[in-house]
């Protein structure tokens, strides 16, 4: 086993435990507010905290991991392994607003390798990223130099190897209730163009679900900046970077709407909970949006 397969084994063990909790608990109880607020100002739900405890407890014992970042932790956590080569950051339970209505939620993670100077420059330090989908089935999508898809039975078994995103889709995924306050005026014109090309809208409200549909079917996902979220809503370190990496490995694209560069090239954030606008896309829609 190499370092990354050791880390992946711990992620599988943790996601299996989270999946079992979701499968066997009353979602109305799991979605109860804990009245503990995370640094993003969210009142964490019980399942957010349970998932966070499982992941931080298991991963802090891994000798390959020096630092842990989590949406539910105020600061980065230093493990006992001070010379270990990797940092792992995760959103333990993405899509919390969907827990009570039994709609797909997930865990998102990225593993970063420290450079020679013991620094992380940007998303290009990622060596492995993925997400676990707690949906009709529990699936784990893992990107290293290829994208592989696992499905949970008694354990995670690989079902698809080397997944690549279709060149074009038929869905766009954006919360259109913000259309009157988007800061980038390309969005409305772009959506109208897709509608004339017979695209349909899909918005689940869980990044893992909307991102996964875009990865599997092709198409366009965006959470643009708006008057209420001038820096966007999605967190760079443990949501946007990981998905940008997965899309790049699968042959797709990501974009920061203000910088007009790949999200992976956005500098490592000063604040571990920094937010960002996000675009994830297959080639055809990306070409339309950027031209
Ligand atoms: P959390 O649920 O972990 O806070 O993640 C944020 C998120 O739920 C994303 O998963 C999703 O894409 C987005 O917010 C939905 O935002 P909105 O409710 O504004 O459409």
């Amino acid at each position: 086993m190499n370092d990354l397969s050791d880390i992946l084994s711990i992620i599988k063990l943790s996601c299996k435990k989270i999946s079992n909790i979701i499968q066997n608990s009353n979602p109305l109880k799991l979605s109860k507010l804990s009245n503990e607020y995370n640094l993003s100002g969210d009142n964490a739900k019980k399942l957010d905290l349970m998932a966070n405890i499982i992941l931080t407890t298991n991963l802090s014992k891994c000798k390959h991991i020096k630092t842990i970042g989590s949406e539910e932790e105020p600061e980065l956590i230093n493990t006992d392994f001070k010379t270990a080569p990797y940092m792992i950051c995760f959103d333990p339970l993405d899509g919390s607003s969907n827990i009570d209505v039994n709609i797909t939620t997930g865990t998102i993670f990225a593993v970063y390798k420290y450079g020679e100077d013991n620094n992380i420059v940007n998303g290009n330090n990622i060596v492995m990223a993925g997400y676990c989908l707690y949906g009709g089935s529990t699936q784990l999508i893992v990107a290293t130099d290829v994208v592989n898809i696992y499905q949970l039975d008694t354990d995670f078994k690989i079902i698809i190897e080397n997944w690549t995103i279709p060149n074009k889709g038929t869905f766009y995924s954006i919360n259109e209730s913000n259309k009157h306050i988007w800061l980038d005026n390309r969005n409305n014109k772009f959506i109208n163009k897709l509608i004339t090309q017979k695209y349909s809208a899909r918005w689940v409200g869980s990044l893992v679900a909307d991102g996964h549909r875009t990865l599997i079917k092709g198409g366009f996902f965006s959470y643009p900046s708006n008057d209420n979220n001038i820096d966007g809503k999605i967190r760079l370190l443990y949501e946007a970077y990981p998905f940008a990496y997965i899309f790049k490995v699968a042959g797709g694209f990501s974009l920061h709407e203000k910088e007009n560069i790949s999200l992976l090239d956005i500098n490592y954030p000063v604040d571990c909970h920094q937010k960002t606008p996000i675009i994830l896309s297959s080639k055809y829609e990306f070409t339309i949006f950027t031209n």
Side-chain angles (χ1 to χ4, degrees):
M1 290 266 263
N2 64 27
D3 297 4
L4 293 185
S5 46
D6 285 348
I7 295 171
L8 186 56
S9 299
I10 297 170
I11 290 168
K12 287 176 179 175
L13 181 78
S14 306
C15 291
K16 181 178 176 180
K17 202 162 178 183
I18 296 165
S19 178
N20 287 339
I21 292 171
I22 293 170
Q23 295 295 325
N24 300 299
S25 306
N26 176 340
L28 295 175
K29 287 199 174 125
L30 287 180
S31 66
K32 283 228 175 304
L33 297 178
S34 65
N35 291 323
E36 288 182 35
Y37 289 79
N38 64 28
L39 263 281
S40 299
D42 306 328
N43 185 347
K45 301 210 164 96
K46 282 193 185 329
L47 184 58
D48 286 314
L49 300 182
M50 294 162 84
N52 184 53
I53 289 167
I54 291 166
L55 283 154
T56 48
T57 305
N58 292 342
L59 288 162
S60 57
K61 298 170 192 158
C62 179
K63 66 184 180 188
H64 308 305
I65 294 174
K66 175 182 171 189
T67 313
I68 295 173
S70 168
E71 182 185 40
E72 304 307 334
E73 295 294 338
E75 306 289 339
L76 294 179
I77 299 167
N78 296 314
T79 70
D80 295 338
F81 308 101
K82 304 205 182 316
T83 57
Y86 301 106
M87 169 173 78
I88 188 167
C89 294
F90 49 79
D91 178 359
L93 208 285
D94 172 69
S96 313
S97 63
N98 283 320
I99 297 170
D100 55 350
V101 291
N102 193 23
I103 287 176
T104 298
T105 56
T107 296
I108 308 169
F109 69 90
V111 177
Y112 300 79
K113 186 169 175 58
Y114 284 99
E116 299 296 311
D117 54 4
N118 207 23
N119 277 326
I120 292 170
V121 177
N122 55 29
N124 296 299
N125 285 81
I126 292 176
V127 291
M128 179 167 73
Y131 54 92
C132 192
L133 280 171
Y134 310 115
S137 65
T138 295
Q139 291 186 333
L140 180 66
I141 289 77
V142 181
T144 48
D145 49 351
V146 293
V147 175
N148 290 331
I149 302 179
Y150 301 78
Q151 184 143 328
L152 181 62
D153 183 342
T154 47
D155 290 307
F156 282 101
K157 294 187 176 64
I158 200 157
I159 57 168
I160 297 170
E161 290 181 295
N162 195 10
W163 178 259
T164 54
I165 188 170
N167 186 53
K168 180 186 178 303
T170 56
F171 296 115
Y172 68 89
S173 191
I174 193 165
N175 183 340
E176 288 189 75
S177 67
N178 297 321
K179 70 193 315 181
H180 58 300
I181 53 171
W182 285 329
L183 301 183
D184 183 330
N185 59 18
R186 289 178 289 184
N187 288 307
N188 281 303
K189 280 184 277 190
F190 171 71
I191 289 170
N192 290 335
K193 240 183 233 173
L194 294 188
I195 291 170
T196 59
Q197 294 186 29
K198 307 279 185 259
Y199 278 66
S200 294
R202 290 286 187 279
W203 188 253
V204 173
S206 296
L207 169 60
V208 283
D210 289 315
H212 184 66
R213 180 191 51 254
T214 309
L215 182 71
I216 298 301
K217 290 180 174 292
F220 186 87
F221 171 92
S222 177
Y223 203 108
S225 54
N226 61 51
D227 291 351
N228 302 327
N229 294 282
I230 55 172
D231 295 321
K233 178 178 184 182
I234 303 302
R235 290 75 166 189
L236 180 60
L237 205 50
Y238 43 80
E239 293 176 330
Y241 272 161
F243 264 95
Y245 182 81
I246 295 160
F247 269 67
K248 180 179 180 182
V249 172
F253 299 85
S254 69
L255 188 75
H256 187 290
E257 68 185 24
K258 291 176 187 166
E259 306 297 332
N260 275 305
I261 57 175
S262 162
L263 284 162
L264 294 174
D265 296 330
I266 296 295
N267 288 338
Y268 181 83
V270 174
D271 166 10
C272 65
H273 299 291
Q274 179 180 310
K275 297 181 180 181
T276 180
I278 178 172
I279 288 171
L280 301 168
S281 182
S282 40
K283 185 175 183 181
Y284 176 79
E285 297 82 359
F286 187 77
T287 306
I288 295 177
F289 186 83
T290 52
N291 285 304

